[in-house]
Amino acid sequence: MPLRLYNTLTREQDEFTPLDPSGRVVRFYTCGPTVYDYSHVGNFRAFLNADVLRRTLELLGYEVRHVMNITDVGHMTDDANPDGGGEDKMELASRRLLEAKKSGSLPEGVDIDPSDPWAIATFYADAFIEDARRLGMKVITDADADSTLLPRPTQYVRQMIELIERLIESDHAYVADDGVVYFSVDSFPDYGRLSGNTLDALRSGEGGRVDMSTQAVKRNPADFMLWKPDASHTMKWDSPWGAGYPGWHLECSVMASALLGSDTDDQIDLHSGGEDNIFPHHECEIAQSRCASGSPSFARYWFHTRHLMVDGGKMSKSLGNFFTIRDLIDRGVSPAAIRLELIKTHYRANSNFTMQGLKDSQRQIDRWRKARAWLAEHASSPRPGPGPLVVGLQRFEEALCSDLNVAGALGVLNEAIGELPMQDGCAAEGDGTWADDLAALDRMDTVLGVLTLESTGGGDVDEAAILAAIDARIAARDAKDWAEADRIRDDLLEMGIAIKDGAQGTTWSKVIQ
């Protein structure tokens, strides 16, 4: 069935068709993290929605080549400024860590030289990859076999310089009196199409922040930086315009072309990111890529995830609601629950992240795991008529094909599991077996990606000891020794383990602090 996606470029739901002549290969680029600190749950919402989209494409039979950059230079603190105002985030991280080292408050586990931005980038890139792997992001496992799928801009500076030279030669860029190289937005009539900004609004400064200190040297206030000579910058490279560093927007244009383009076509199929990337980052990518290649488009479909709120407000360290993945796991949250919580709300709606939501997600996953265990146990047992998961699979796929409606797909899954005869037992005879439903559930999870992830958080637990304590409690209850049963329950709770009695027996989970 056709996949329909909301395309930021057209502002409509478009039917997805890849550029590949065979119709099967999809070239997909995702804006990844800037590795100057641990990535937080808001960052991961966009990354995981891209992962769900990629998995949906694979469910539909496409072969996806998925690239996600890891930014280790050039991303400035003022994202809304097309020139990248403020300071380089890598140098900001260096100063922050140096101050922490002087005060003796370096974060636990951070064992690097704070004065070395290169070492900082490597440390936080490795931390991101570890977190992303625990959350089941497929681009990470792909990169185990092909490291080019997680490119870093510092490895592509030469290609960035070559792209700038092409833009200057074709009059799409110029060297200003202050030596900075700027892209000329007036040379590209489609500038602003993705974000809805008009050139008139950008000239007046209404479409995004404008650094007034540069206006005397720019041809248009909206022109954006491609290269800045700056010999004092820690991370710098030689160039025809002096030692300095590239503009942030260049990196994705260069890496997408190098890793996903073809000899005859620099267009790609899909580009994703958070909604804050739309302007200026993705708008600038389109301009420089199309002007350098002459192609009618850069990416044909643009997929943007909206913001994540935390407890109904903006995430803030001062408010105590700023969560990294490792923060949550240390508090007893499972990677599976984090993943589900971050993907279950539609990607084009703001999502509210709460601890209660994580608990609800964990309960949902526990229910699915119990259903899967039942199906595995009864895989060869007779099943009268078509099973509920077999029937539900098509509706599950239809929901995903309707602009990635994960909530609708989850509704189908929960309804189907509710129809399993786990309390009644299996029929004596039937037209098939429950193996088909087991396969259907596993197929659904190829998109959700939660049943194969860790089901507990907070590091290793002594599962054998927990199960022994549960058996001892069951024996105490059978002997009507209620005091002993309560003592065992309380002891487990002090260990951070909550138990629950149900029709299928006693289950346990780590307590979310």
Side-chain angles (χ1 to χ4, degrees), residues 28 69 103 128 136 189 194 215 238 393 410 417 454 489 496:
F28 185 6
N69 66 294
S103 64
F128 169 77
L194 181 74
Q215 298 319 298
D238 290 331
L393 180 58
L410 294 177
I417 284 180
E454 294 176 58
R489 178 201 61 204

Side-chain angles (χ1 to χ4, degrees), residues 209-333:
R209 295 180 198 165
V210 174
D211 184 354
M212 299 307 296
S213 66
T214 64
Q215 298 319 298
V217 296
K218 285 186 180 183
R219 296 175 183 172
N220 184 316
D223 292 349
F224 58 89
M225 185 189 83
L226 298 175
W227 187 271
K228 185 171 184 178
D230 185 352
S232 65
H233 204 262
T234 304
M235 303 177 82
K236 59 182 179 290
W237 294 262
D238 290 331
S239 82
W241 316 284
Y245 59 92
W248 173 41
H249 316 304
L250 275 175
E251 64 182 59
C252 295
S253 290
V254 165
M255 293 186 291
S257 173
L259 300 172
L260 294 174
S262 67
D263 293 337
T264 58
D265 191 354
D266 263 348
Q267 298 179 85
I268 63 174
D269 295 297
L270 273 164
H271 198 313
S272 75
E275 67 173 340
D276 53 337
N277 290 143
I278 296 173
F279 187 87
H281 187 46
H282 289 166
E283 192 77 75
C284 295
E285 281 185 51
I286 291 172
Q288 59 203 14
S289 293
R290 285 186 54 191
C291 289
S293 69
S295 295
S297 70
F298 170 37
R300 296 174 66 233
Y301 302 88
W302 290 83
F303 177 87
H304 290 104
T305 295
R306 295 204 66 183
H307 290 306
L308 181 75
M309 311 297 286
V310 178
D311 293 322
K314 185 177 180 180
M315 188 162 44
S316 166
K317 288 185 178 179
S318 63
L319 295 175
N321 65 355
F322 184 96
F323 299 120
T324 66
I325 301 306
R326 49 199 64 208
D327 288 337
L328 292 169
I329 291 175
D330 287 345
R331 294 178 66 165
V333 185

Side-chain angles (χ1 to χ4, degrees), residues 65 225 404:
R65 179 170 173 82
M225 185 189 83
L404 216 66

Side-chain angles (χ1 to χ4, degrees), residues 441-506:
L441 176 58
D442 286 344
R443 184 167 171 79
M444 293 178 186
D445 193 55
T446 61
V447 175
L448 301 178
V450 295
L451 295 181
T452 56
L453 294 184
E454 294 176 58
S455 59
T456 60
D460 295 334
V461 295
D462 190 343
E463 186 170 349
I466 294 169
L467 294 176
I470 289 173
D471 288 342
R473 178 175 175 270
I474 292 171
R477 285 167 61 89
D478 290 343
K480 295 186 171 30
D481 188 349
W482 310 118
E484 176 64 8
D486 289 346
R487 183 194 66 77
I488 295 171
R489 178 201 61 204
D490 294 342
D491 286 349
L492 285 168
L493 195 56
E494 285 187 14
M495 295 166 52
I497 303 299
I499 58 176
K500 182 178 180 180
D501 299 315
Q504 301 300 310
T506 301

